[in-house]
Structures are given as structure tokens and as C-alpha cells.
Amino acid sequence: MTAIQHPFSRVLLPLNADQLSTSTVEYAANLGKLYGVTLTLLFVHEFAGHNAGPGFAVESTDQTAQRINQLVETEIIPLLGSTPVDQVLIRAGKPADEIIAAADELDADLVVMGTRGKTGLQHMIMGSVTEKVVHLINRPVLAVPVR
């Protein structure tokens, strides 16, 4: 497939290591093939203890990095095929805040994110990371429905 002219070259692909969206990765891979872009993968884990309740062990930073790097090698890279990844970022914090900060730091032209389409009480209580990013970022966001 021949790359064509496009309005973006730096694409940020934030992913949830606990609920990997293969459809989002495949969509980003297709963008990469079509437009010849390189992806930056971003994983954000919430602050230690932020989402852990009594009796839950919290991973160390090294354990998280090892788990994510293994996920990238065994599941994500095969889905991306020939679409190159320039870097894998692992951050701790609130996902929406870290995604926006990374997009700004990288001067990303496009952020590709999955959306699960939560509604009702679940959406009111938890919100949506994608929705927060869309409303707070000053860059284009491509929301890919997760199948």
C-alpha cells in the first residue's frame, strides 16, 4: 500500500493494559499503513492504591513495566504488523490527564483511542476516559468503537 499525503505524522495510541482493545490497535495499524505514520504507544496505570481495595496487591513500577512490555511484544506488535512504533511510554496518574500531557509533550497530530460506549449509571459513576480527553484536549481525537 502506498502512503498518501496526510495532515498528521505523530500519532499517539493510548491503551489500557488491563482491557486491551484489539480493534483500536488494528485501526491504528491501518492508519499507519495507509498514511505511513509511526505510532507512540502510551499506557497509564493509576496511582498505587488508587483503584485497589482491601486485599488487593499493588504491582511495583518494575512489575507494571515488565507486564506492559510483554503485552507489547506478544500481542500489540503482531496486531500492528508493519506499522512502526517509535516509543512505548508508561506513566502513572489519572489516565485522561496523562494522555493529554503526553499528547502535548509529543506534539501529537492525532490521538487514537477506543471507546466502549458506556451509558447510564456506569457512565455517570465512572465517566469515560475518552470522553474526558475529547472535551479537554486541544488536538484531534479519533474515537474507535470497541467491539
Side-chain angles (χ1 to χ4, degrees):
M1 193 176 287
T2 304
I4 59 174
Q5 292 289 17
H6 53 83
F8 51 85
S9 59
R10 291 173 304 280
V11 176
L12 178 64
L13 178 59
L15 296 167
N16 182 341
D18 296 322
Q19 294 181 324
L20 183 63
S21 165
T22 57
S23 59
T24 304
V25 175
E26 290 168 344
Y27 201 96
N30 288 333
L31 282 175
K33 289 173 193 154
L34 182 63
Y35 296 114
V37 298
T38 300
L39 304 174
T40 297
L41 306 181
L42 172 65
F43 295 88
V44 181
H45 61 97
E46 296 194 55
F47 297 114
H50 180 76
N51 59 357
F56 287 92
V58 177
E59 281 183 323
S60 71
T61 303
D62 289 341
Q63 289 170 320
T64 299
Q66 183 178 12
R67 179 173 56 86
I68 288 171
N69 287 326
Q70 182 176 359
L71 177 70
V72 169
E73 291 301 319
T74 61
E75 295 186 43
I76 296 171
I77 296 298
L79 287 171
L80 291 174
S82 62
T83 301
V85 172
D86 67 345
Q87 60 183 322
V88 177
L89 304 175
I90 302 171
R91 295 185 175 201
K94 293 183 178 179
D97 295 344
E98 293 300 324
I99 292 166
I100 293 166
D104 288 342
E105 290 163 18
L106 296 166
D107 196 24
D109 300 310
L110 179 68
V111 179
V112 178
M113 298 181 68
T115 181
R116 298 192 184 281
K118 294 178 183 174
T119 60
L121 185 59
Q122 186 179 26
H123 182 265
M124 284 176 41
I125 293 171
M126 296 177 62
S128 159
V129 172
T130 303
E131 183 177 2
K132 289 175 188 170
V133 170
V134 166
H135 287 290
L136 297 174
I137 200 167
N138 58 359
R139 301 172 184 281
V141 177
L142 176 61
V144 179
V146 174
R147 334 180 255 264

